[in-house]
Amino acid sequence: MPRRWRIASHDPDLVARLQRDMGVPSVVAHLLCCRGIVDGPAAHRFLEAKLSGLYDPADLPGATQAAERLAQAISAGRRIVVYGDYDADGMTATAILLLCLQLLGADVTYYVPNRLDEGYGLNDDALRSLAAQGAQMVVTVDCGIASVKEAITARELGLELIVTDHHEMAASLPDAAAVVHPRLPGSSYPFGQLAGAGVAFKLAWALCQQVGGATRVSPRMRNFLMQAVGLAALGTIADVVPLLDENRILVRHGLVSLYQNPTPGLAALMEVTSLRKKPHLVAEDVGFTIAPRLNAAGRLGQAQLGVELLTTASQDRAFALAEYLHELNGSRDSLERSIYLAANRQAQEYFDAGHEGGLVLAERGWHPGVIGIVAGRLAEKYRRPVVLVALDSVGVKPGVGSCRSAAGFNLHEALQTCSEHLLGHGGHAAAAGLTIAEGCLDAFRVEFSALAGEAMLASGLPDDLEVDCETAFSGLTAPIVRQIETLGPFGRGNLRPVLCTTDVTLVGPPKRMGGGERHLSLTLAQNGIKFRAVAFGNGDWADELSQAAAPLSVAFKPVLNNFRGRSSVELHLADWNTADADAGGNCNGASLSPAVRR
């Protein structure tokens, strides 16, 4: 299936006016227009992303009621348990509420289920254990919205339950003392895409107001909330929710907070991973360096260490935990490479057999904590939804699956449609999980693949590359790329801009790099201007590029690489093709069809 480059069309008059009104380079004006920002006031609001743009926590459905219940529990000295999740979003949400309750003098502890033994969300055995240990109130973070049966168990045990979540709801809501969720039925909250950490942050803010008796919180509480913005940013980036509206504001200011005022554990983790050497943090630093190390703990059944890292006040313990999680991530990376190789072979066999649609891959011995990462890599590589199922090594227990979306495919709806083949499932449109009996796997594969195939046909080619505009290398000076960076933070919903250009030559052979030689380093030149380029996850382009006839057309993301105090422009290669593979001859047209490369 050929991949096309779909270059956004621009009204030249709007671009010129915005360029003049904002005093920005043409490429930045183009990029603002690509985001639907076509006038000066809107551009100022977008670029400033003021913290005051966050909505009042009282507007978040259920937050005021939950804050009142928590304040009463604190005052009465009741034993509170924050019940979290084992991914980075769940860990940061747990840390935010735990630190807030500790600050306010609560009798509080936390519980995070073991991913490998208990699975996601509330479970009856955990609730019984917590009740036996003296818990009186359980507050969920990043889970619980679909735990209707477990809420009944909590009530029978005499536990007061507060649910805070952002995932998809079941047909009915859990019977809880309060339910906090940005998309509760009948509510009109302006932004429904908060991460679990974002919801926890808004509840912590509401609780500080409740205990303080005023909308404006005390300086001590304000200092905590500013640090909590950093934790919320970490969870928001890690959970790959859209970086729009409140999420974009949280991440913009949270990245500053993480760098300038981190918790001791995060300060240690940034030291161990050399992020402290950078002049500032960007979203990719969190997404590719910090979050994976927290997720490694959860994926390998040690999520409590991630929460401890985020909440410890001990410098010594912080560094010990940071170094351990750093090493644990290395173990996770080795497991990931092994599973990726096996899953990729299965995918190639699937394509060789003439199949299309979504991928459902399964194998005994795959680590259930790592398959989600591999599913994400394959979904990005093949630009189609992917389900990886870790089958029980002896065929007794159900298979555990992780799903990742592509091309806008709604996983939650698809799993609902396929639910007759599943023992259980949960998640949201972009990422989900499931359990399945091994005997149902083939039927599920057929139905899921067909659903994905139909959606891909209906939406057009799923592997089209969206390009913002064409820009020559001469227009990519460090000051201009620095202005492009002001459109960030970049992530889902506000992607890092993709530019393209033609008549590019390769300077020297490309070099594979990274673990498993997964990545590629190369030098590109145009009219005497040279840039280092990196192709992440595309080490297999090396041979093709070495043999490609010049000139090349390239699509790329410009970034600033800060090394030893010096800032230089670097290109992250998104795609490439030779001139003889062009459908339109260059990337000035509406679309470009390079040679097929899987």
Side-chain angles (χ1 to χ4, degrees):
M1 184 184 297
R3 192 178 194 193
R4 298 184 302 174
W5 298 359
R6 300 179 63 89
I7 302 172
S9 60
H10 305 284
D11 183 327
D13 293 334
L14 283 177
V15 172
R17 186 176 67 191
L18 195 59
Q19 182 181 2
R20 181 182 64 250
D21 292 347
M22 294 296 296
V24 295
S26 175
V27 64
V28 176
H30 274 85
L31 296 175
L32 286 167
C33 288
C34 282
R35 286 153 173 74
I37 301 165
V38 296
D39 62 69
H44 278 295
R45 286 193 300 273
F46 179 82
L47 295 174
E48 290 173 353
K50 291 183 177 179
L51 201 56
S52 58
L54 294 175
Y55 305 116
D56 192 314
D59 295 337
L60 181 64
T64 298
Q65 184 181 3
E68 290 172 351
R69 294 278 189 160
L70 283 166
Q72 291 168 8
I74 294 170
S75 179
R78 302 177 69 202
R79 181 72 163 171
I80 303 170
V81 177
V82 180
Y83 192 113
D85 186 28
Y86 43 66
D87 67 1
D89 185 25
M91 291 180 204
T92 50
T94 302
I96 289 169
L97 211 52
L98 180 68
L99 290 171
C100 180
L101 289 166
Q102 288 175 342
L103 176 71
L104 300 176
D107 179 5
V108 61
T109 186
Y110 72 92
Y111 182 84
V112 180
N114 185 295
R115 180 180 194 134
L116 307 179
D117 298 332
E118 298 174 84
Y120 169 76
L122 283 172
N123 70 79
D124 290 342
D125 288 342
L127 289 172
R128 293 189 187 97
S129 176
L130 292 173
Q133 295 170 38
Q136 296 168 289
M137 173 183 277
V138 172
V139 188
T140 74
V141 290
D142 197 33
C143 65
I145 195 63
S147 300
V148 176
K149 177 179 71 69
E150 290 79 7
I152 295 172
T153 300
R155 183 173 291 276
E156 292 173 347
L157 292 168
L159 294 170
E160 184 174 6
L161 179 65
I162 294 175
V163 172
T164 81
D165 202 353
H166 72 119
H167 290 99
E168 298 296 333
M169 291 162 266
S172 59
L173 294 175
D175 182 11
V179 177
V180 186
H181 194 293
R183 300 188 304 279
L184 279 185
S187 68
S188 57
Y189 192 66
F191 184 64
Q193 300 301 315
L194 288 170
V199 174
F201 169 76
K202 298 301 283 285
L203 176 56
W205 185 2
L207 181 57
C208 286
Q209 291 178 335
Q210 179 72 32
V211 172
T215 302
R216 187 179 293 274
V217 301
S218 69
R220 189 167 66 109
M221 292 177 183
R222 185 181 186 280
N223 289 338
F224 157 72
L225 289 172
M226 288 306 300
Q227 191 172 65
V229 169
L231 291 169
L234 199 170
T236 298
I237 295 167
D239 216 46
V240 201
V241 290
L243 293 191
L244 303 170
D245 204 292
E246 280 196 295
N247 288 342
R248 183 167 178 270
I249 295 171
L250 284 170
V251 173
R252 167 69 72 86
H253 294 274
L255 289 170
V256 177
S257 174
L258 280 173
Y259 192 80
Q260 295 182 351
N261 186 32
T263 64
L266 285 173
L269 192 57
M270 286 190 283
E271 190 71 36
V272 167
T273 56
S274 299
L275 287 179
R276 294 302 300 177
K277 296 178 180 178
K278 300 191 65 174
H280 59 270
L281 295 178
V282 295
E284 290 92 337
D285 294 325
V286 172
F288 296 116
T289 302
I290 298 176
R293 282 154 179 81
L294 291 174
N295 279 325
R299 293 182 185 282
L300 300 180
Q302 301 183 60
Q304 74 281 358
L305 296 182
V307 177
E308 186 182 355
L309 174 87
L310 296 173
T311 57
T312 183
S314 165
Q315 299 284 352
D316 291 341
R317 182 61 175 161
F319 268 98
L321 286 166
E323 289 173 347
Y324 179 72
L325 293 189
H326 186 53
E327 293 172 1
L328 200 64
N329 187 60
S331 300
R332 187 273 312 158
D333 191 53
S334 297
L335 282 170
E336 177 193 335
R337 286 201 298 270
S338 174
I339 295 172
Y340 177 82
L341 289 172
N344 193 48
R345 280 196 297 270
Q346 286 190 26
Q348 290 294 340
E349 291 169 0
Y350 180 87
F351 293 127
D352 291 344
H355 297 299
E356 289 294 343
L359 288 170
V360 179
L361 313 172
E363 186 65 76
R364 298 192 193 283
W366 283 352
H367 196 293
V370 179
I371 53 176
I373 306 174
V374 178
R377 286 183 60 191
L378 292 174
E380 183 178 358
K381 178 182 178 69
Y382 293 115
R383 297 175 291 279
R384 64 191 64 235
V386 174
V387 180
L388 255 64
V389 180
L391 297 174
D392 183 40
S393 58
V394 294
V396 176
K397 296 180 180 179
V400 177
S402 283
C403 324
R404 295 296 182 268
S405 182
F409 184 71
N410 191 311
L411 285 172
H412 178 74
E413 292 179 359
L415 295 183
Q416 285 282 78
T417 302
C418 300
S419 59
E420 66 177 297
H421 308 302
L422 305 175
L423 297 173
H425 65 88
H428 43 77
L434 59 84
T435 53
I436 185 170
E438 188 172 340
C440 296
L441 188 61
D442 289 340
F444 169 69
R445 179 183 287 114
V446 170
E447 185 169 4
F448 181 86
S449 297
L451 285 172
E454 291 168 5
M456 289 157 61
L457 285 174
S459 62
L461 290 172
D463 53 356
D464 289 356
L465 177 66
E466 303 295 331
V467 178
D468 292 282
C469 63
E470 181 180 6
T471 304
F473 281 4
S474 59
L476 295 174
T477 63
I480 288 177
V481 176
R482 192 169 289 111
Q483 289 199 51
I484 291 175
E485 290 287 336
T486 64
L487 276 63
F490 299 117
R492 182 180 165 215
N494 185 41
L495 297 174
R496 185 173 284 278
V498 176
L499 311 178
C500 74
T501 192
T502 58
D503 296 323
V504 173
T505 57
L506 184 64
V507 181
K511 298 177 181 178
R512 296 175 186 264
M513 64 178 192
E517 297 188 330
R518 286 161 42 188
H519 313 306
L520 202 64
S521 174
L522 57 159
T523 301
L524 300 175
Q526 182 190 64
N527 297 325
I529 299 174
K530 298 179 183 180
F531 287 124
R532 178 179 185 262
V534 179
F536 290 106
N538 286 300
D540 54 358
W541 283 353
D543 294 338
E544 294 175 82
L545 274 165
S546 296
Q547 299 169 15
L552 304 175
S553 295
V554 294
F556 57 90
K557 303 171 185 178
V559 301
L560 283 176
N561 183 14
N562 296 287
F563 182 68
R564 294 180 178 175
R566 183 173 177 270
S567 184
S568 61
V569 176
E570 182 176 276
L571 310 182
H572 290 177
L573 195 61
D575 200 13
W576 63 275
N577 68 289
T578 56
D580 58 5
D582 290 3
N586 56 48
C587 62
N588 287 308
S591 66
L592 188 72
S593 299
V596 179
R597 284 186 304 280
R598 275 210 165 98

